[in-house]
């Protein structure tokens, strides 16, 4: 579909086209489309831009990833659909391992996501077929399958758009969890060590930039981050954006 560039929701509509395409290709599950819609609603409340709080959490995430011993990015259908190129770039500069981890795991979808990542330059993609031979304790087998050298033995894991149960199960394994979830009040955001409440399409390029800054020692040495405080401020921002909308109605 041709979307006019001056459409007020241009970016958002372009993403919908991508989602539609990935659903057709079998990369995204139908449920993944619903999750995308929930994300869009929260983006409205953020004014569709990266907040100061999100920027701080992205910087904290870059530091944590670069200081980890065995960092891993967990990739699901939505992530593979929206930011495949950025996932691969991040994996090369940190460096970190890429592992496919699906809520609705099928061999076919694993393979398709692997192929999409490889088409964007990924060399080694974990979590496909026999590679996912370990289990996250507390989850039934299909949802909990992970690879030994990847998520199972990782110390820091970045889990974009993750379900609350799985995020919590990983936390209970003693892992440090970084999440990208535009909903600051999801169970995932609430249980993570670093919760990035922003759209993944804006987060990934910013995270790559912050990793580069950290690597070239441009990040301030005394940078402090309090995740609970950050979530509270994000909720406050959404509240104040809503109040602005309300005010505009009265003054019209
Ligand atoms: P929880 O189980 O953690 O309470 P949930 O069940 O709502 O949350 P899921 O639907 O399983 O979570 O996961 C999808 C999450 O990802 C949603 O919170 C949704 O807002 C968020 N999300 C969807 N699209 C994006 C996106 N493009 N960028 C960032 N977050 C997104
Ligand atoms: Mg859930």
């Amino acid at each position: 579909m041709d979307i006019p560039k001056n459409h007020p929701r241009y970016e958002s509509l372009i993403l919908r086209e991508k989602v539609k395409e990935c659903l057709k290709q079998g990369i995204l599950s139908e449920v993944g489309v619903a999750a995308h819609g929930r994300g869009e609603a929260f983006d409205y409340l953020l004014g569709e831009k990266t907040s100061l709080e999100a920027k701080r959490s992205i910087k904290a995430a870059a530091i944590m990833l670069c200081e980890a011993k065995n960092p891993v990015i967990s990739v699901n259908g939505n992530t593979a659909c929206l930011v495949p190129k950025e996932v691969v770039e991040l994996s090369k500069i940190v460096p970190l391992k890429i592992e496919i981890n699906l809520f609705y795991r099928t061999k076919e979808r694993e393979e398709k996501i692997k192929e999409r990542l490889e088409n964007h330059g990924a060399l080694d993609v974990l979590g496909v077929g026999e590679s996912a031979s370990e289990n996250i304790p507390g989850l039934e087998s299909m949802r909990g399958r992970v690879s030994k050298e990847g998520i199972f033995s990782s110390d820091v894991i970045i889990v974009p758009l993750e379900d609350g149960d799985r995020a919590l199960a990983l936390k209970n394994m003693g892992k440090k969890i970084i999440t990208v979830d535009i909903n600051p009040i999801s169970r995932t955001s609430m249980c993570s060590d670093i919760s990035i409440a922003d759209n993944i399409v804006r987060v990934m390029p910013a995270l790559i930039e912050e990793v580069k800054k950290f690597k070239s020692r441009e990040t301030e040495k005394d940078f402090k981050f309090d995740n609970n405080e950050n979530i509270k401020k994000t909720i406050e921002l959404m509240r104040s954006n809503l109040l602005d909308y309300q005010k505009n109605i009265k003054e019209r």
Side-chain angles (χ1 to χ4, degrees), residues 124-142:
D124 197 9
V125 179
L126 302 171
V128 180
E130 293 309 305
S131 146
S133 57
E134 294 288 338
N135 247 297
I136 304 173
L139 291 180
E140 37 82 12
S141 67
M142 283 308 269

Side-chain angles (χ1 to χ4, degrees), residues 185-199:
I185 55 171
S186 72
R187 288 174 307 145
T188 302
S189 293
M190 293 288 186
C191 79
S192 298
D193 295 280
I194 298 176
S195 313
I196 305 173
D198 193 20
N199 196 322

